[in-house]
Amino acid sequence: MPLVRVTMIKGKPAEYIKQLSQSIYDTLVEEYLMPKNDMFQIIEQLEPGALIYDRQFGIDGERSDDFILINIESDARRRDEKQAFVARLVEKLAASPGLSPDDVFVRLSANTVMDDWSFGGGKVASDIEYPAG
């Protein structure tokens, strides 16, 4: 049940946002074994100057103005699953919409139980029966 929040500088066209969203979704389904159609994303675009980041911290290259922060909140994953997910995510984002791996900052945050979520209807997620596959 990942909740994705992407923060970026304003100015990208709708097709870019669509490709960005789809690449994140596809990687979650492939690598995080997220159920299909479990798509909840917030794409926020900030005015230039409102997203402040170091251009080189923690990477060998340099970040550009295309830099994005991806925050993903989901149930817990093992370290190897996180590594595989992040590696595949930057590959997919490089292919579509064309982001440099150095411009992709990912933060993974875990919830411990399904009772931490409600998808609506006044029910916690652990009370819902999910369709197979």
Side-chain angles (χ1 to χ4, degrees):
M1 312 314 143
L3 173 61
V4 177
R5 175 180 231 115
V6 179
T7 305
M8 58 194 291
I9 296 171
K10 188 182 283 188
K12 297 295 184 199
E15 184 60 27
Y16 182 97
I17 301 299
K18 181 179 176 182
Q19 291 173 3
L20 174 78
S21 170
Q22 191 65 47
S23 288
I24 294 168
Y25 170 78
D26 290 344
T27 308
L28 285 166
V29 171
E30 292 169 18
E31 295 293 335
Y32 249 38
L33 304 177
M34 178 181 82
K36 289 184 179 182
N37 299 321
D38 185 2
M39 180 189 270
F40 297 93
Q41 299 181 356
I42 302 162
I43 311 287
E44 59 184 357
Q45 298 185 61
L46 303 177
E47 294 294 332
L51 179 58
I52 300 166
Y53 55 94
D54 188 274
R55 299 265 176 175
Q56 297 175 321
F57 182 81
I59 59 172
D60 294 328
E62 185 162 326
R63 294 178 179 96
S64 74
D65 291 340
D66 290 334
F67 175 73
I68 62 171
L69 293 167
I70 303 172
N71 289 284
I72 300 173
E73 189 157 345
S74 69
D75 53 338
R77 297 290 197 268
R78 294 186 322 263
R79 187 176 198 278
D80 61 324
E81 293 171 322
K82 293 175 188 180
Q83 288 172 313
F85 170 75
V86 172
R88 184 68 177 132
L89 179 61
V90 296
E91 286 176 9
K92 283 192 111 36
L93 290 171
S96 179
L99 270 167
S100 165
D102 287 340
D103 283 328
V104 181
F105 181 108
V106 179
R107 178 185 175 265
L108 303 173
S109 177
N111 284 82
T112 56
V113 295
M114 291 301 293
D115 294 343
D116 292 339
W117 300 91
S118 172
F119 300 115
K123 298 178 183 177
V124 294
S126 58
D127 291 340
I128 299 171
E129 289 189 37
Y130 300 95

